[in-house]
Amino acid sequence: MELHLITDGCQSAERTADILRLIEPDIDMLHIREKHLSAAELYEFMFTVSERGCCSPSKLAVNDRVDAALLFGAGTVQLTSNSLPLQLVKRTFPKLRCGASVHSLQEARAAEQAGANYVLYGHIYDSVSKPGLPPRGLSSLEELCRAVSIPVIALGGIQPRHVRGIRRAGASGIAVMSGIWKADDPAEAAKEYRRMLIT
Amino acid sequence: MELHLITDGCQSAERTADILRLIEPDIDMLHIREKHLSAAELYEFMFTVSERGCCSPSKLAVNDRVDAALLFGAGTVQLTSNSLPLQLVKRTFPKLRCGASVHSLQEARAAEQAGANYVLYGHIYDSVSKPGLPPRGLSSLEELCRAVSIPVIALGGIQPRHVRGIRRAGASGIAVMSGIWKADDPAEAAKEYRRMLIT
């Protein structure tokens, strides 16, 4: 199973890179999700994170900005309902991997039909990023995993102890934010997630 | 001389299109500058403006979003200091025309060196978009036009009566916002600009 780490918009590029350098072997993809940055700042952020964090651009997934992903040589772009139409992105840039952020089975099916390489689905558990919104839970994850044939990455409030249930539900990986960035020891947290993912 | 019209972020796509349909033959380029829109909304905006406004995508310049320009088949992207690096955009997408928004002679020279197809320079006169900022004036425009060999499009508070002076300063065109959008009769205003540009 894959471990995706999503930047939370609260760390500087330098701190992001410094943590990343410690955990890079343990994570499969780093999502750059810094909505408050201009395109120029985003490019700088990616450059610092990749260089100082010793992380290959191919391991980066850029949120929303297809152009930043292409210019930087990032492997993946992560598209949401606020992004350019996934089908057109795939048609225009067939080599670029496209992840789709989805919140329902219908959206997941539509994303698969449009050519998404995987979906990010959540939130599964209570999440500090989604206060007050009821989590979607394991059974909806299981239903969604059965409904599509592309990989499903589960997101939202996931702790290492949840990994076994998520695997049983059929997900191909998990995506984490605060579980690593807000951990007392991010490197240890990443290793703990990794241990649960491979056992 | 060219007439560029820049959307001001205050009109709906429908109203923009309805005005555009009346003045399309009189303008050389329509800049889509709708910073408050998501990428999905921007794409919709461009689609409506182009279809309903009977305007070829090749006549559109998309502000900042290189990806939206490429997906839509727009002829041009307009880059600012907040955008992705112009040199890299040109290197990655050599067929895409790139305009650079500049505010000094140094920036104009840098943009030319980076491969810009033209620069947009302003603001030349007092502009409702730049309240309180002193205008740069005709003499600075003239100096800048001498310093670069790519076309210079002058911007900011330009009225039809200013066009002669701007041409004499060496500019290749003008860009207008409120002079057309806020005119009592936008179609008549566009024709008046056009008359001044060709005489």
Side-chain angles (χ1 to χ4, degrees), chain A residues 38-43 64-68 70-71 80-85 88-89 92-93, chain B residues 38-43 64-68 70-71 80-85 88-89 92-93:
Chain A
S38 71
E41 292 166 337
L42 174 64
Y43 192 86
D64 188 60
R65 294 282 314 215
V66 180
D67 45 8
L70 290 165
L71 247 67
T80 74
S81 57
N82 293 323
S83 301
L84 291 168
L88 287 178
V89 174
T92 314
F93 308 108
Chain B
S38 71
E41 291 166 337
L42 174 63
Y43 191 86
D64 187 61
R65 294 282 313 216
V66 181
D67 44 8
L70 290 165
L71 246 67
T80 74
S81 57
N82 292 323
S83 300
L84 291 167
L88 287 178
V89 174
T92 313
F93 307 107

Side-chain angles (χ1 to χ4, degrees), chain B:
Chain B
M1 283 177 84
E2 289 187 1
L3 177 54
H4 293 217
L5 175 59
I6 304 177
T7 69
D8 63 357
C10 300
Q11 331 286 329
S12 69
E14 286 72 21
R15 181 167 150 78
T16 303
D18 290 345
I19 293 177
L20 182 63
R21 203 168 40 209
L22 301 174
I23 66 177
E24 197 276 337
D26 290 317
I27 69 158
D28 297 289
M29 205 178 295
L30 179 74
H31 292 247
I32 307 287
R33 187 168 173 277
E34 301 286 318
K35 298 184 184 187
H36 60 297
L37 298 184
S38 71
E41 291 166 337
L42 174 63
Y43 191 86
E44 274 298 303
F45 189 97
M46 293 167 69
F47 187 83
T48 300
V49 164
S50 177
E51 287 282 301
R52 181 164 163 164
C54 302
C55 179
S56 158
S58 65
K59 231 172 171 173
L60 299 182
V62 183
N63 188 70
D64 187 61
R65 294 282 313 216
V66 181
D67 44 8
L70 290 165
L71 246 67
F72 197 73
T76 305
V77 68
Q78 183 69 31
L79 301 171
T80 74
S81 57
N82 292 323
S83 300
L84 291 167
L86 193 147
Q87 191 159 23
L88 287 178
V89 174
K90 283 303 276 189
R91 196 182 301 158
T92 313
F93 307 107
K95 288 183 188 163
L96 186 64
R97 288 186 78 229
C98 291
S101 301
V102 302
H103 302 94
S104 70
L105 198 148
Q106 290 69 30
E107 284 181 10
R109 279 201 179 119
E112 179 174 35
Q113 282 224 322
N117 295 90
Y118 65 90
V119 294
L120 206 60
Y121 174 65
H123 55 294
I124 308 299
Y125 297 101
D126 276 318
S127 164
V128 289
S129 319
K130 305 276 184 186
L133 273 179
R136 297 170 200 279
L138 271 188
S139 60
S140 90
L141 174 64
E142 192 172 352
E143 196 185 358
L144 188 139
C145 289
R146 277 210 212 96
V148 297
S149 55
I150 53 176
V152 176
I153 309 296
L155 170 74
I158 298 172
Q159 299 296 322
R161 69 178 183 278
H162 297 135
V163 168
R164 198 160 299 163
I166 287 170
R167 182 195 294 115
R168 254 187 261 123
S172 302
I174 62 169
V176 175
M177 295 175 80
S178 58
I180 289 180
W181 300 118
K182 300 256 195 285
D184 291 335
D185 184 341
E188 186 45 48
K191 280 199 194 319
E192 179 63 13
Y193 279 111
R194 173 54 69 196
R195 264 194 295 274
M196 298 306 293
L197 287 164
I198 58 176
T199 55

Side-chain angles (χ1 to χ4, degrees), chain A:
Chain A
M1 283 176 84
E2 290 188 0
L3 177 55
H4 293 217
L5 176 60
I6 305 177
T7 69
D8 63 357
C10 300
Q11 332 285 330
S12 69
E14 287 71 21
R15 181 168 150 78
T16 303
D18 291 345
I19 293 177
L20 183 62
R21 201 166 43 210
L22 301 173
I23 66 177
E24 198 276 336
D26 290 318
I27 69 157
D28 297 289
M29 205 178 295
L30 179 73
H31 292 247
I32 307 287
R33 186 167 173 278
E34 301 285 318
K35 298 185 184 188
H36 60 297
L37 299 183
S38 71
E41 292 166 337
L42 174 64
Y43 192 86
E44 274 298 303
F45 189 96
M46 290 166 69
F47 188 82
T48 301
V49 164
S50 177
E51 287 284 300
R52 181 164 164 165
C54 302
C55 179
S56 159
S58 65
K59 232 174 169 170
L60 298 183
V62 184
N63 188 69
D64 188 60
R65 294 282 314 215
V66 180
D67 45 8
L70 290 165
L71 247 67
F72 197 73
T76 305
V77 67
Q78 183 69 31
L79 301 171
T80 74
S81 57
N82 293 323
S83 301
L84 291 168
L86 193 147
Q87 192 160 20
L88 287 178
V89 174
K90 282 304 276 188
R91 195 183 300 160
T92 314
F93 308 108
K95 287 181 190 164
L96 186 64
R97 286 185 82 228
C98 291
S101 300
V102 301
H103 302 94
S104 69
L105 197 147
Q106 289 70 29
E107 285 181 10
R109 279 200 179 120
E112 179 175 34
Q113 281 224 321
N117 295 91
Y118 65 89
V119 294
L120 206 60
Y121 175 64
H123 56 297
I124 308 299
Y125 297 102
D126 277 316
S127 163
V128 290
S129 320
K130 306 275 184 187
L133 273 181
R136 295 169 201 279
L138 271 188
S139 59
S140 90
L141 173 63
E142 191 171 352
E143 196 185 358
L144 189 140
C145 289
R146 278 210 211 98
V148 297
S149 54
I150 53 176
V152 176
I153 309 296
L155 168 76
I158 297 171
Q159 299 297 323
R161 68 177 183 278
H162 297 135
V163 168
R164 196 159 302 162
I166 287 170
R167 183 196 293 117
R168 255 187 261 125
S172 301
I174 62 169
V176 174
M177 295 176 78
S178 57
I180 289 181
W181 300 118
K182 299 257 194 288
D184 292 334
D185 184 340
E188 186 44 48
K191 280 199 194 318
E192 179 64 11
Y193 279 110
R194 174 53 70 195
R195 263 194 296 274
M196 297 307 293
L197 287 164
I198 58 177
T199 55

